[in-house]
Amino acid sequence: MVTLRDSSDTNPGPPTISMNSSVPLERSRASRLDGSLAPQTVSLTLPQNQTIKISVVSGPSCGIDCELSRPLVTIGRLGGGADVEIDDPEVSRVHCALEVRDGAIFLHDLSSTNGTYIGDSRILASRLEHMSKFRIGSTLLQVSVHSV
């Protein structure tokens, strides 16, 4: 439980946010994908009349294509347990994630060791468009959106 307390009675400044640690936070992997247990994820949906594809355009796994089958997909190193695995030793086990929300595609770095890059800029999160490219390790990936 999160509570917001007004600190105007004692010290001027911003409100204080405190968490009740007696209630453990429980979240299953399925709740993030289908929204049944976490209402904030209800907007995660794949577009009805489009397919979204991730393609490896350069690097050790060049030529691999993967069509998104869910609105939240992780990308990582081969054998690391990510949804999409790339044979690149510079990629973390679970390196980044693609999220489709409200008709937009978002790329999130998942605290990877070597970072996620768009161009020469290291990013934490970014919105992607059709034909956007991003780099993880020595692998360059491209996202494309196709009408069905």
Side-chain angles (χ1 to χ4, degrees), residues 31-82:
S31 69
R32 292 184 303 154
L33 298 176
D34 66 11
S36 63
L37 299 176
Q40 67 272 21
T41 62
V42 171
S43 63
L44 292 181
T45 58
L46 289 172
Q48 293 287 337
N49 56 354
Q50 297 177 326
T51 59
I52 300 170
K53 188 191 310 184
I54 307 166
S55 303
V56 178
V57 294
S58 71
S61 295
C62 187
I64 291 177
D65 289 329
C66 179
E67 187 175 306
L68 294 187
S69 59
R70 297 181 307 196
L72 180 61
V73 176
T74 56
I75 304 171
R77 183 175 61 234
L78 188 62

Side-chain angles (χ1 to χ4, degrees), residues 8-135:
S8 62
D9 296 336
T10 56
N11 294 327
T16 303
I17 298 174
S18 61
M19 296 195 64
N20 181 351
S21 60
S22 65
V23 179
L25 178 63
E26 294 180 18
R27 182 181 307 173
S28 71
R29 183 175 174 95
S31 69
R32 292 184 303 154
L33 298 176
D34 66 11
S36 63
L37 299 176
Q40 67 272 21
T41 62
V42 171
S43 63
L44 292 181
T45 58
L46 289 172
Q48 293 287 337
N49 56 354
Q50 297 177 326
T51 59
I52 300 170
K53 188 191 310 184
I54 307 166
S55 303
V56 178
V57 294
S58 71
S61 295
C62 187
I64 291 177
D65 289 329
C66 179
E67 187 175 306
L68 294 187
S69 59
R70 297 181 307 196
L72 180 61
V73 176
T74 56
I75 304 171
R77 183 175 61 234
L78 188 62
D83 299 317
V84 177
E85 294 184 334
I86 296 170
D87 187 14
D88 184 339
E90 296 178 31
V91 170
S92 296
R93 284 180 280 177
V94 181
H95 196 103
C96 63
L98 284 180
E99 171 189 17
V100 181
R101 180 173 21 102
D102 297 328
I105 305 167
F106 297 94
L107 172 65
H108 302 275
D109 182 79
L110 299 176
S111 301
S112 63
T113 303
N114 293 326
T116 301
Y117 292 82
I118 294 180
D120 292 330
S121 300
R122 186 172 182 163
I123 60 103
L124 295 176
S126 181
R127 183 177 177 156
L128 300 177
E129 302 294 333
H130 174 62
M131 303 306 282
S132 291
K133 293 180 182 177
F134 63 96
R135 182 175 56 82

